[in-house]
Amino acid sequence: MTTGEMQTGTSTGETRPRYDIDGLKAKLAGIKTEDNANLVRQKSRDFYWYSPTLKRQLDHVVGDIIVAPVSEQEVVRVLASAHELGIPVTPRGTGTGNYGQAMPLSGGIVLDLSGMNKVLTVQPGRFVAEAGAVIADIDKVARPQAQEIRMHPSTYATASVGGFIAGGSGGVGSITWGGLRDAGNVIRLKVVTMEAKPRVLELTGDDLAKVAHAYGTNGIITEVEMPLGPAYPWTDLFLGFDTFERAAAFANLLGEADGIAKKNVAVIAAPAPQTYFLRHQDYMRPGQHVVVAVVADFAVDAALNLAAKEGAELLLRSDKLADEERRKLPPGFELTWNHTTLRALRVDPAITYLQVLYPFPDQVKLSAKLEERFGDELISHLEFVRFDGKVTCFGLPMVRFTTEERLEEIMKIHEDMGAPIFNPHRYTLEEGGMKQTDAVQLAFKKEADPQGLLNPGKMIAWEDPSYDYAAGGTFLFKGLSAEAGKA
């Protein structure tokens, strides 16, 4: 096999490059590889199917081979060999992303970093771990020192820390600590470049923005240093409200109560809690909108006093459950962020979702207006965060999907009403959130990946500098046609 030849996909008829996989395996002797078609297909996927649009576009995407390094030195060898042979490399942690971030649009190598999973050090206020370390495993090492990671996705039990930084933006803990890009939330990253002689770089300070939330398009993260916070015993509170706006107003008030130590504050509109929270249904009341709050044990009384003043009904507090009853229930944070969407999809496969910002200071009224605007077509879901130091909320509303055209209309209505959309139905960096070129990340890609072999197709600014962001539309990488995936 020679680099640059073309082969036809087996399911859709699209063509994509054929690479010298046999030559690659010879160069990587001693490093674990896997080219079983079923396993490669499995590792070529993330949770892209949350979006019917991405499912149509990406369902056929598959790599040629999995390469699973277990050390930084092996990552260097892989990238050097891939560079020499012109084979694309798409990094992957544990595959818990939602936008096709870790899907190999041009085939080639799926770089499975889950074997690089060591927690290297835990010190007061910080930890160092390999990129493939699962976040829950980091906490297992840190908690005996009364510490824990400050923020994490709802996929806490399975997500890797490197994948979180490369593909995420915030999550559980963001009500106190802000987002991943906020200064201080990442201390240091080690990154390997894609060059003839790959370099291992240590990034700190402003340089962290070069690779944070860049989908691995301009460097492979191999090591992470992040802060730790205090590991309190956390209590889940489920609070019912008779109107959505009252629930949102209370959640905002709780978010602003700086003396109440909290980990997450979410609002889920009826009928989602009653319909989708299957193991919590006995605690729900018909028609109530539910605030799910995770607060420190010593702050429960203060939180409940505040809730009572705002007319809330206490539906559940986890610290008062019998041990057997508590073991039957997932933790509260596994009902929030995109786990809310996942639970909805398990009941109703026609559900999809949006990612919305309700800007400060009108977040409560604006979210209530949008809740009223769409009726049963959209079920509101808010996650309260600190954004630039101010409490506001992001939305992950659940949408009853009908057509892609209607989905676009719903997003336009949000933006016209003043609620920006971070589009989860796009797989590129820019369309998903920035809506413009990130000049810092592009410049670093030119330096660190001059052949464009790292996760190709995910950075519009590299693939198509003439792209008109204002016109919108779906950017499709050269190897994907508009018809791809429809069959």
Side-chain angles (χ1 to χ4, degrees):
M1 294 187 287
T2 60
T3 302
E5 293 179 13
M6 303 296 289
Q7 67 179 1
T8 301
T10 56
S11 61
T12 64
E14 85 282 358
T15 58
R16 59 183 177 84
R18 171 182 284 172
Y19 308 108
D20 185 1
I21 300 301
D22 289 339
L24 176 73
K25 288 194 287 187
K27 288 180 176 294
L28 299 183
I31 298 176
K32 183 180 178 182
T33 63
E34 177 61 71
D35 56 7
N36 176 278
N38 290 332
L39 293 176
V40 173
R41 181 176 178 82
Q42 177 185 337
K43 290 284 189 180
S44 296
R45 273 145 173 67
D46 61 14
F47 285 53
Y48 72 103
W49 43 266
Y50 275 37
S51 164
T53 302
L54 293 183
K55 183 168 174 55
R56 173 181 62 79
Q57 292 175 348
L58 303 181
D59 219 26
H60 67 289
V61 169
V62 65
D64 291 277
I65 188 169
I66 303 163
V67 181
V70 294
S71 69
E72 186 177 272
Q73 292 74 21
E74 290 190 351
V75 172
V76 169
R77 280 184 61 198
V78 174
L79 296 191
S81 299
H83 184 277
E84 180 181 346
L85 296 172
I87 301 176
V89 175
T90 300
R92 167 193 169 92
T94 52
T96 59
N98 301 107
Y99 328 117
Q101 300 107 307
M103 294 183 66
L105 301 186
S106 296
I109 295 169
V110 176
L111 188 69
D112 181 2
L113 297 167
S114 62
M116 294 180 60
N117 57 11
K118 298 183 184 70
V119 181
L120 301 173
T121 63
V122 172
Q123 301 172 23
R126 66 177 66 189
F127 73 88
V128 178
E130 293 179 326
V134 171
I135 292 172
D137 292 339
I138 296 170
D139 272 358
K140 287 176 184 175
V141 180
R143 281 217 175 94
Q145 299 182 24
Q147 300 188 96
E148 65 181 17
I149 196 164
R150 298 204 307 199
M151 73 179 71
H152 58 78
S154 60
T155 49
Y156 169 81
T158 54
S160 68
V161 67
F164 182 40
I165 291 171
S169 56
V172 180
S174 287
I175 185 58
T176 298
W177 302 105
L180 278 172
R181 279 204 169 199
D182 286 353
N185 281 332
V186 179
I187 299 171
R188 178 181 59 86
L189 297 173
K190 265 192 175 182
V191 178
V192 182
T193 65
M194 174 58 113
E195 302 172 272
K197 293 183 178 180
R199 292 171 290 154
V200 179
L201 307 177
E202 292 208 9
L203 304 181
T204 60
D206 289 345
D207 286 342
L208 293 166
K210 294 176 178 178
V211 296
H213 200 69
Y215 298 3
T217 55
N218 54 14
I220 303 299
I221 297 172
T222 57
E223 185 176 291
V224 173
E225 184 173 0
M226 290 180 75
L228 293 167
Y232 302 126
W234 298 103
T235 299
D236 297 334
L237 301 177
F238 288 68
L239 303 159
F241 290 83
D242 56 2
T243 72
F244 177 79
E245 187 166 1
R246 290 181 71 184
F250 166 74
N252 196 84
L253 193 64
L254 179 59
E256 292 177 339
D258 291 340
I260 297 177
K262 52 197 158 296
K263 195 169 189 175
N264 208 64
V265 182
V267 180
I268 298 100
Q274 297 81 3
T275 308
Y276 305 138
F277 295 174
L278 299 181
R279 282 187 277 175
H280 286 79
Q281 286 185 339
D282 290 345
Y283 305 97
M284 300 296 109
R285 302 284 186 271
Q288 281 192 336
H289 309 275
V290 175
V291 172
V292 180
V294 182
V295 302
D297 59 345
F298 58 83
V300 169
D301 288 345
L304 290 179
N305 286 341
L306 188 63
K309 292 175 183 177
E310 300 302 314
E313 178 184 359
L314 177 61
L315 304 176
L316 180 154
R317 56 180 285 183
S318 60
D319 61 341
K320 295 298 183 182
L321 298 176
D323 289 346
E324 183 178 352
E325 190 175 10
R326 187 164 49 246
R327 282 194 293 268
K328 292 178 181 178
L329 299 176
F333 69 78
E334 286 191 358
L335 302 177
T336 66
W337 293 91
N338 253 327
H339 258 73
T340 312
T341 314
L342 178 61
R343 292 179 187 281
L345 278 163
R346 287 172 175 170
V347 175
D348 182 358
I351 289 289
T352 188
Y353 75 114
L354 302 177
Q355 293 182 150
V356 187
L357 172 64
Y358 306 96
F360 177 89
D362 300 317
Q363 60 269 21
V364 171
K365 290 190 178 299
L366 180 55
S367 64
K369 284 180 183 177
L370 283 159
E371 158 73 9
E372 184 177 358
R373 170 67 176 77
F374 289 101
D376 292 343
E377 187 177 20
L378 181 148
I379 306 172
S380 290
H381 166 200
L382 308 179
E383 294 290 343
F384 281 79
V385 299
R386 286 194 177 274
F387 192 68
D388 292 333
K390 298 177 175 65
V391 171
T392 188
C393 54
F394 285 104
L396 293 96
M398 291 158 278
V399 180
R400 301 186 192 281
F401 179 78
T402 51
T403 66
E404 292 183 28
E405 292 74 20
R406 177 55 182 163
L407 194 59
E408 294 291 332
E409 288 175 1
I410 291 170
M411 288 189 279
K412 185 176 187 305
I413 291 168
H414 276 75
E415 298 221 322
D416 289 346
M417 290 178 68
I421 294 289
F422 299 86
N423 194 340
H425 306 283
R426 298 288 186 267
Y427 54 77
T428 63
L429 286 164
E430 295 93 336
E431 290 175 298
M434 291 177 288
K435 303 180 184 179
Q436 61 184 0
T437 296
D438 186 317
V440 171
Q441 291 186 347
L442 176 60
F444 187 62
K445 184 171 179 68
K446 291 176 180 177
E447 172 192 340
D449 180 26
Q451 290 193 83
L453 291 171
L454 286 178
N455 206 356
K458 306 293 174 59
M459 184 186 285
I460 297 176
W462 178 271
E463 308 290 346
D464 183 8
S466 67
Y467 182 82
D468 183 355
Y469 297 99
T474 302
F475 170 80
L476 292 173
F477 180 56
K478 298 169 186 175
L480 295 174
S481 71
E483 300 301 311
K486 286 185 178 178

